[in-house]
Amino acid sequence: MALANLELWLRIDAVARLGVTQLTALIEKTGNIAALYDCSDQQLTAFGLSAKQITSLRQPNTKRIDRVLRWLYNPRHHCISYFCPTYPEQLRHIDKPPLLLFVKGNLSCLQGTQVAIVGSRNASYSSQQHAYCFAHYLARSLTITSGLAIGIDAKAHQGALSQSKGLTLAVLASGCDIIYPKQHHDLAEHICEHGALVSEFRPGTPPKAGFFPRRNRIISGLSQGVIMIEAGLPSGTMITAKYALEQGREVWALPGEISNPNTKGCHHLIRDGATLVTEPQQILEDLSLCPHISTKNEKNAPSCVNHAQQKLPFNPMLDNVDYAVTPIDVIAIRSQHPIAEVLTQLVELELAGLIQAVPGGYIRR
């Protein structure tokens, strides 16, 4: 987009409550975006703009606009409007699509077929492994979209990046120059090299609580469907599922341990009609991106079972540890093994990353 046109779009984008629908009607009446600025206040009022909107249009915050223009001097920084041919087609058809999208990284990857993987920030170890596994497998055919959050989101991005030529998009609740959480700065840079950061918020915009639901509607809006891996009730993940259903997207949910409160959302979705999924191949089949996988191919397909669990000879001991603090004597009673043997197995499980020692006992990760 030419800088002259871009400045006009940035001024328009700053006008409160001026959405794509109203703006489309305005452009139809004036002929183009530039002609809108030539209209008198009386004409703009007749077109339905309020006095406050007209003032905002006439008196833009030039410092904020200049900051965005400086950010865009980098050739890997982009801004696309709803009316640009490069605007993602999937996103055009959601309720209240963003007028502008700011992109850092590979702009072309927005055009690929996307699937979102989202879930709890406090996800269990096994669920994080599932997110990584699903993303790694699906990134051979799809772009993996998520929200750069701690937990499932991060594992989904990492899984996609671990695939040769895998692409992933991170949708932010801040400007593309402000990474949240801060500890994901390196991950964000890696994503930019093999995908992109995407935001409807201008560079320099810090994250706010109200921005995360807006981000979630874009995550689902960009995607053909959303894979839910651990979701509490209520949670941001469930907000994403709500948007996905409203947008007519597929919703897949992984079942989990019934004693884990972070699986209640997924079980709720499955009960209400979401597709239960246990293997990533199912996603490709549901999207008609591959034929039904034969038994021979299934043997070669990666399993989402945690390899650490497969190798442990005493895996049943894990079943005696809850997601809440479980005292050692309770674990011994449940397992019906001597304390000495229980302690040995618990240490091995902790070294495998499946449980964690805490005051009062152990918890599952």
Side-chain angles (χ1 to χ4, degrees), residues 23-45:
L23 184 56
T24 301
L26 288 172
I27 292 175
E28 289 177 354
K29 293 175 182 177
T30 60
N32 58 67
I33 186 69
L36 184 63
Y37 293 91
D38 296 328
C39 295
S40 66
D41 289 0
Q42 290 79 11
Q43 288 175 306
L44 293 175
T45 300

PDB file of all heavy atoms in Angstrom, residues 23-45:
ATOM      1  N   LEU A  23     -18.167   2.122   6.455  1.00  0.00           N
ATOM      2  CA  LEU A  23     -17.140   2.691   5.590  1.00  0.00           C
ATOM      3  C   LEU A  23     -17.366   2.275   4.136  1.00  0.00           C
ATOM      4  O   LEU A  23     -17.171   3.086   3.218  1.00  0.00           O
ATOM      5  CB  LEU A  23     -15.765   2.242   6.054  1.00  0.00           C
ATOM      6  CG  LEU A  23     -14.565   2.839   5.309  1.00  0.00           C
ATOM      7  CD1 LEU A  23     -14.601   4.369   5.358  1.00  0.00           C
ATOM      8  CD2 LEU A  23     -13.261   2.318   5.885  1.00  0.00           C
ATOM      9  N   THR A  24     -17.780   1.031   3.932  1.00  0.00           N
ATOM     10  CA  THR A  24     -18.086   0.582   2.569  1.00  0.00           C
ATOM     11  C   THR A  24     -19.187   1.436   1.961  1.00  0.00           C
ATOM     12  O   THR A  24     -19.103   1.837   0.785  1.00  0.00           O
ATOM     13  CB  THR A  24     -18.509  -0.898   2.579  1.00  0.00           C
ATOM     14  OG1 THR A  24     -17.454  -1.694   3.127  1.00  0.00           O
ATOM     15  CG2 THR A  24     -18.832  -1.388   1.187  1.00  0.00           C
ATOM     16  N   ALA A  25     -20.215   1.738   2.745  1.00  0.00           N
ATOM     17  CA  ALA A  25     -21.307   2.584   2.258  1.00  0.00           C
ATOM     18  C   ALA A  25     -20.813   3.993   1.944  1.00  0.00           C
ATOM     19  O   ALA A  25     -21.235   4.605   0.940  1.00  0.00           O
ATOM     20  CB  ALA A  25     -22.428   2.632   3.291  1.00  0.00           C
ATOM     21  N   LEU A  26     -19.905   4.521   2.763  1.00  0.00           N
ATOM     22  CA  LEU A  26     -19.354   5.855   2.525  1.00  0.00           C
ATOM     23  C   LEU A  26     -18.550   5.906   1.230  1.00  0.00           C
ATOM     24  O   LEU A  26     -18.650   6.859   0.451  1.00  0.00           O
ATOM     25  CB  LEU A  26     -18.479   6.284   3.699  1.00  0.00           C
ATOM     26  CG  LEU A  26     -19.190   6.648   5.007  1.00  0.00           C
ATOM     27  CD1 LEU A  26     -18.174   6.862   6.120  1.00  0.00           C
ATOM     28  CD2 LEU A  26     -20.039   7.893   4.816  1.00  0.00           C
ATOM     29  N   ILE A  27     -17.736   4.866   1.004  1.00  0.00           N
ATOM     30  CA  ILE A  27     -16.904   4.827  -0.206  1.00  0.00           C
ATOM     31  C   ILE A  27     -17.781   4.705  -1.454  1.00  0.00           C
ATOM     32  O   ILE A  27     -17.490   5.295  -2.504  1.00  0.00           O
ATOM     33  CB  ILE A  27     -15.891   3.672  -0.119  1.00  0.00           C
ATOM     34  CG1 ILE A  27     -14.863   3.968   0.980  1.00  0.00           C
ATOM     35  CG2 ILE A  27     -15.184   3.458  -1.453  1.00  0.00           C
ATOM     36  CD1 ILE A  27     -13.892   2.836   1.238  1.00  0.00           C
ATOM     37  N   GLU A  28     -18.884   3.966  -1.337  1.00  0.00           N
ATOM     38  CA  GLU A  28     -19.814   3.863  -2.467  1.00  0.00           C
ATOM     39  C   GLU A  28     -20.414   5.218  -2.813  1.00  0.00           C
ATOM     40  O   GLU A  28     -20.673   5.517  -3.986  1.00  0.00           O
ATOM     41  CB  GLU A  28     -20.914   2.854  -2.132  1.00  0.00           C
ATOM     42  CG  GLU A  28     -20.452   1.407  -2.114  1.00  0.00           C
ATOM     43  CD  GLU A  28     -21.538   0.443  -1.707  1.00  0.00           C
ATOM     44  OE1 GLU A  28     -22.638   0.926  -1.320  1.00  0.00           O
ATOM     45  OE2 GLU A  28     -21.304  -0.781  -1.761  1.00  0.00           O
ATOM     46  N   LYS A  29     -20.618   6.055  -1.801  1.00  0.00           N
ATOM     47  CA  LYS A  29     -21.211   7.377  -2.041  1.00  0.00           C
ATOM     48  C   LYS A  29     -20.191   8.384  -2.550  1.00  0.00           C
ATOM     49  O   LYS A  29     -20.524   9.264  -3.356  1.00  0.00           O
ATOM     50  CB  LYS A  29     -21.841   7.891  -0.741  1.00  0.00           C
ATOM     51  CG  LYS A  29     -23.057   7.092  -0.285  1.00  0.00           C
ATOM     52  CD  LYS A  29     -23.554   7.564   1.065  1.00  0.00           C
ATOM     53  CE  LYS A  29     -24.742   6.738   1.538  1.00  0.00           C
ATOM     54  NZ  LYS A  29     -25.208   7.139   2.887  1.00  0.00           N
ATOM     55  N   THR A  30     -18.943   8.274  -2.080  1.00  0.00           N
ATOM     56  CA  THR A  30     -17.928   9.273  -2.453  1.00  0.00           C
ATOM     57  C   THR A  30     -17.044   8.821  -3.611  1.00  0.00           C
ATOM     58  O   THR A  30     -16.413   9.657  -4.262  1.00  0.00           O
ATOM     59  CB  THR A  30     -17.015   9.575  -1.244  1.00  0.00           C
ATOM     60  OG1 THR A  30     -16.363   8.366  -0.819  1.00  0.00           O
ATOM     61  CG2 THR A  30     -17.837  10.139  -0.084  1.00  0.00           C
ATOM     62  N   GLY A  31     -16.982   7.539  -3.887  1.00  0.00           N
ATOM     63  CA  GLY A  31     -16.184   7.038  -4.993  1.00  0.00           C
ATOM     64  C   GLY A  31     -14.868   6.430  -4.571  1.00  0.00           C
ATOM     65  O   GLY A  31     -14.436   5.421  -5.128  1.00  0.00           O
ATOM     66  N   ASN A  32     -14.185   7.007  -3.596  1.00  0.00           N
ATOM     67  CA  ASN A  32     -12.926   6.459  -3.098  1.00  0.00           C
ATOM     68  C   ASN A  32     -12.613   7.056  -1.733  1.00  0.00           C
ATOM     69  O   ASN A  32     -13.254   8.014  -1.295  1.00  0.00           O
ATOM     70  CB  ASN A  32     -11.771   6.696  -4.076  1.00  0.00           C
ATOM     71  CG  ASN A  32     -11.576   8.164  -4.375  1.00  0.00           C
ATOM     72  OD1 ASN A  32     -11.195   8.945  -3.505  1.00  0.00           O
ATOM     73  ND2 ASN A  32     -11.834   8.566  -5.627  1.00  0.00           N
ATOM     74  N   ILE A  33     -11.591   6.521  -1.086  1.00  0.00           N
ATOM     75  CA  ILE A  33     -11.269   6.933   0.274  1.00  0.00           C
ATOM     76  C   ILE A  33     -10.803   8.383   0.329  1.00  0.00           C
ATOM     77  O   ILE A  33     -11.126   9.120   1.268  1.00  0.00           O
ATOM     78  CB  ILE A  33     -10.211   5.977   0.886  1.00  0.00           C
ATOM     79  CG1 ILE A  33      -9.975   6.295   2.356  1.00  0.00           C
ATOM     80  CG2 ILE A  33      -8.927   6.013   0.120  1.00  0.00           C
ATOM     81  CD1 ILE A  33     -11.117   5.975   3.250  1.00  0.00           C
ATOM     82  N   ALA A  34     -10.044   8.826  -0.676  1.00  0.00           N
ATOM     83  CA  ALA A  34      -9.520  10.191  -0.664  1.00  0.00           C
ATOM     84  C   ALA A  34     -10.648  11.211  -0.772  1.00  0.00           C
ATOM     85  O   ALA A  34     -10.597  12.282  -0.147  1.00  0.00           O
ATOM     86  CB  ALA A  34      -8.523  10.375  -1.799  1.00  0.00           C
ATOM     87  N   ALA A  35     -11.677  10.885  -1.556  1.00  0.00           N
ATOM     88  CA  ALA A  35     -12.787  11.824  -1.746  1.00  0.00           C
ATOM     89  C   ALA A  35     -13.552  12.065  -0.452  1.00  0.00           C
ATOM     90  O   ALA A  35     -14.212  13.102  -0.289  1.00  0.00           O
ATOM     91  CB  ALA A  35     -13.727  11.300  -2.824  1.00  0.00           C
ATOM     92  N   LEU A  36     -13.462  11.130   0.471  1.00  0.00           N
ATOM     93  CA  LEU A  36     -14.157  11.278   1.747  1.00  0.00           C
ATOM     94  C   LEU A  36     -13.657  12.505   2.497  1.00  0.00           C
ATOM     95  O   LEU A  36     -14.431  13.194   3.168  1.00  0.00           O
ATOM     96  CB  LEU A  36     -13.948  10.017   2.582  1.00  0.00           C
ATOM     97  CG  LEU A  36     -14.679   9.915   3.919  1.00  0.00           C
ATOM     98  CD1 LEU A  36     -16.183   9.917   3.707  1.00  0.00           C
ATOM     99  CD2 LEU A  36     -14.271   8.643   4.652  1.00  0.00           C
ATOM    100  N   TYR A  37     -12.356  12.804   2.351  1.00  0.00           N
ATOM    101  CA  TYR A  37     -11.774  13.949   3.052  1.00  0.00           C
ATOM    102  C   TYR A  37     -12.140  15.275   2.405  1.00  0.00           C
ATOM    103  O   TYR A  37     -11.969  16.337   3.010  1.00  0.00           O
ATOM    104  CB  TYR A  37     -10.252  13.793   3.115  1.00  0.00           C
ATOM    105  CG  TYR A  37      -9.815  12.646   3.990  1.00  0.00           C
ATOM    106  CD1 TYR A  37      -9.633  11.368   3.454  1.00  0.00           C
ATOM    107  CD2 TYR A  37      -9.625  12.810   5.350  1.00  0.00           C
ATOM    108  CE1 TYR A  37      -9.243  10.306   4.262  1.00  0.00           C
ATOM    109  CE2 TYR A  37      -9.235  11.752   6.157  1.00  0.00           C
ATOM    110  CZ  TYR A  37      -9.053  10.507   5.605  1.00  0.00           C
ATOM    111  OH  TYR A  37      -8.679   9.454   6.406  1.00  0.00           O
ATOM    112  N   ASP A  38     -12.649  15.219   1.182  1.00  0.00           N
ATOM    113  CA  ASP A  38     -13.052  16.450   0.494  1.00  0.00           C
ATOM    114  C   ASP A  38     -14.492  16.827   0.808  1.00  0.00           C
ATOM    115  O   ASP A  38     -14.939  17.918   0.425  1.00  0.00           O
ATOM    116  CB  ASP A  38     -12.890  16.271  -1.024  1.00  0.00           C
ATOM    117  CG  ASP A  38     -11.434  16.060  -1.424  1.00  0.00           C
ATOM    118  OD1 ASP A  38     -10.560  16.625  -0.734  1.00  0.00           O
ATOM    119  OD2 ASP A  38     -11.188  15.328  -2.401  1.00  0.00           O
ATOM    120  N   CYS A  39     -15.215  15.936   1.470  1.00  0.00           N
ATOM    121  CA  CYS A  39     -16.616  16.212   1.799  1.00  0.00           C
ATOM    122  C   CYS A  39     -16.707  17.276   2.898  1.00  0.00           C
ATOM    123  O   CYS A  39     -15.849  17.351   3.779  1.00  0.00           O
ATOM    124  CB  CYS A  39     -17.325  14.948   2.257  1.00  0.00           C
ATOM    125  SG  CYS A  39     -17.476  13.687   0.995  1.00  0.00           S
ATOM    126  N   SER A  40     -17.748  18.064   2.848  1.00  0.00           N
ATOM    127  CA  SER A  40     -17.990  19.053   3.903  1.00  0.00           C
ATOM    128  C   SER A  40     -18.524  18.356   5.142  1.00  0.00           C
ATOM    129  O   SER A  40     -18.969  17.209   5.086  1.00  0.00           O
ATOM    130  CB  SER A  40     -18.992  20.089   3.418  1.00  0.00           C
ATOM    131  OG  SER A  40     -20.267  19.487   3.220  1.00  0.00           O
ATOM    132  N   ASP A  41     -18.518  19.099   6.258  1.00  0.00           N
ATOM    133  CA  ASP A  41     -19.065  18.536   7.492  1.00  0.00           C
ATOM    134  C   ASP A  41     -20.542  18.206   7.322  1.00  0.00           C
ATOM    135  O   ASP A  41     -21.035  17.207   7.858  1.00  0.00           O
ATOM    136  CB  ASP A  41     -18.879  19.520   8.652  1.00  0.00           C
ATOM    137  CG  ASP A  41     -17.427  19.637   9.078  1.00  0.00           C
ATOM    138  OD1 ASP A  41     -16.572  18.956   8.468  1.00  0.00           O
ATOM    139  OD2 ASP A  41     -17.136  20.403  10.023  1.00  0.00           O
ATOM    140  N   GLN A  42     -21.234  19.054   6.565  1.00  0.00           N
ATOM    141  CA  GLN A  42     -22.662  18.820   6.337  1.00  0.00           C
ATOM    142  C   GLN A  42     -22.893  17.528   5.561  1.00  0.00           C
ATOM    143  O   GLN A  42     -23.807  16.744   5.871  1.00  0.00           O
ATOM    144  CB  GLN A  42     -23.279  20.003   5.565  1.00  0.00           C
ATOM    145  CG  GLN A  42     -23.389  21.300   6.358  1.00  0.00           C
ATOM    146  CD  GLN A  42     -22.051  22.038   6.446  1.00  0.00           C
ATOM    147  OE1 GLN A  42     -21.080  21.694   5.755  1.00  0.00           O
ATOM    148  NE2 GLN A  42     -22.011  23.067   7.298  1.00  0.00           N
ATOM    149  N   GLN A  43     -22.029  17.288   4.556  1.00  0.00           N
ATOM    150  CA  GLN A  43     -22.152  16.045   3.790  1.00  0.00           C
ATOM    151  C   GLN A  43     -21.849  14.821   4.651  1.00  0.00           C
ATOM    152  O   GLN A  43     -22.555  13.816   4.583  1.00  0.00           O
ATOM    153  CB  GLN A  43     -21.195  16.076   2.587  1.00  0.00           C
ATOM    154  CG  GLN A  43     -21.624  17.026   1.486  1.00  0.00           C
ATOM    155  CD  GLN A  43     -20.587  17.106   0.388  1.00  0.00           C
ATOM    156  OE1 GLN A  43     -19.407  17.379   0.648  1.00  0.00           O
ATOM    157  NE2 GLN A  43     -21.007  16.867  -0.862  1.00  0.00           N
ATOM    158  N   LEU A  44     -20.804  14.926   5.461  1.00  0.00           N
ATOM    159  CA  LEU A  44     -20.444  13.805   6.328  1.00  0.00           C
ATOM    160  C   LEU A  44     -21.542  13.507   7.336  1.00  0.00           C
ATOM    161  O   LEU A  44     -21.829  12.351   7.655  1.00  0.00           O
ATOM    162  CB  LEU A  44     -19.121  14.090   7.045  1.00  0.00           C
ATOM    163  CG  LEU A  44     -17.879  14.155   6.152  1.00  0.00           C
ATOM    164  CD1 LEU A  44     -16.656  14.567   6.966  1.00  0.00           C
ATOM    165  CD2 LEU A  44     -17.631  12.813   5.462  1.00  0.00           C
ATOM    166  N   THR A  45     -22.173  14.576   7.842  1.00  0.00           N
ATOM    167  CA  THR A  45     -23.299  14.397   8.761  1.00  0.00           C
ATOM    168  C   THR A  45     -24.450  13.694   8.060  1.00  0.00           C
ATOM    169  O   THR A  45     -25.092  12.790   8.616  1.00  0.00           O
ATOM    170  CB  THR A  45     -23.771  15.754   9.313  1.00  0.00           C
ATOM    171  OG1 THR A  45     -22.692  16.379  10.009  1.00  0.00           O
ATOM    172  CG2 THR A  45     -24.941  15.570  10.266  1.00  0.00           C
TER     173      THR A  45
END
